[in-house]
Amino acid sequence: LGYSGTPSVVVVMRLLGDVTGTIVFTLPVAGALTLGRLLLGDAASAADGFDELTRSSLAETGNIIGGAYAGVLGTMVHGIVMLSTPEIGIEPLEHVLAKQGAAATEELGLCIETRFTLGGSDAEVGGHILLLPDAASLSVMVEGLEQSARSVEWFIPASGHRRPASRGKSGTAGSFPEG
């Protein structure tokens, strides 16, 4: 991810409910400062540090993003997924992952690269979202994906390639075959 050994801004939230695990939102320090200034505008601190307002705005950004992912997970597994209160820190990502029990060689997860731009600003800020489900939740997530795939109607054009059905196309629509 490019954060190795380098302090970054890390927002950690525990997943609670039918899927358990951790969601981590992380940004390089320089990008986090830029995002804080973009979010806070005139209220941003004149200093190049992380005052309480900047830390709070970054934690809330992580909370909003994490909440969106938790909502999608809940829909996917047909259950309830909630988040804990976000915790924010400025430290190397591997330290945070170690605290969460996520050893890189033993843990499965999903990493999503994200970019932020605001309004008329030319500034773009990049970061990552890590979804680290607990072992028991992996099977719940896979079952949810399989169930969702079975419930989608698929359009099979003359070429034989499957894709989700949509209106106005000619071809055969039906359930995706098992197996």
Side-chain angles (χ1 to χ4, degrees):
L1 299 174
Y3 299 103
S4 183
T6 307
S8 57
V9 173
V10 181
V11 180
V12 178
M13 296 148 288
R14 289 289 303 161
L15 291 167
L16 310 166
D18 294 318
V19 173
T20 57
T22 305
I23 289 184
V24 178
F25 169 58
T26 186
L27 296 159
V29 168
L33 286 168
T34 299
L35 182 58
R37 284 190 295 273
L38 288 170
L39 291 170
L40 297 172
D42 292 338
S45 171
D48 278 340
F50 290 97
D51 63 1
E52 192 58 35
L53 189 57
T54 302
R55 292 170 69 90
S56 178
S57 69
L58 294 170
E60 185 56 24
T61 300
N63 191 36
I64 291 167
I65 292 169
Y69 282 96
V72 169
L73 279 172
T75 299
M76 183 179 80
V77 301
H78 307 285
I80 296 172
V81 180
M82 300 171 289
L83 291 177
S84 68
T85 303
E87 296 179 27
I88 186 168
I90 302 168
E91 59 186 302
L93 179 59
E94 57 268 22
H95 293 179
V96 174
L97 294 178
K99 288 180 200 172
Q100 298 298 319
T105 58
E106 300 173 9
E107 193 77 21
L108 292 176
L110 174 66
C111 176
I112 302 167
E113 184 174 352
T114 187
R115 300 223 170 264
F116 297 94
T117 56
L118 291 178
S121 171
D122 289 336
E124 183 177 271
V125 177
H128 293 88
I129 293 128
L130 306 173
L131 169 62
L132 305 169
D134 292 339
S137 291
L138 280 175
S139 62
V140 172
M141 291 170 60
V142 169
E143 287 174 24
L145 283 172
E146 288 173 344
Q147 187 177 23
S148 294
R150 284 192 297 271
S151 67
V152 172
E153 287 193 11
W154 292 86
F155 171 75
I156 305 173
S159 67
H161 293 98
R162 296 182 182 113
R163 64 177 185 234
S166 61
R167 294 189 171 103
K169 303 277 185 184
S170 60
T172 304
S175 296
F176 188 75
E178 297 278 335

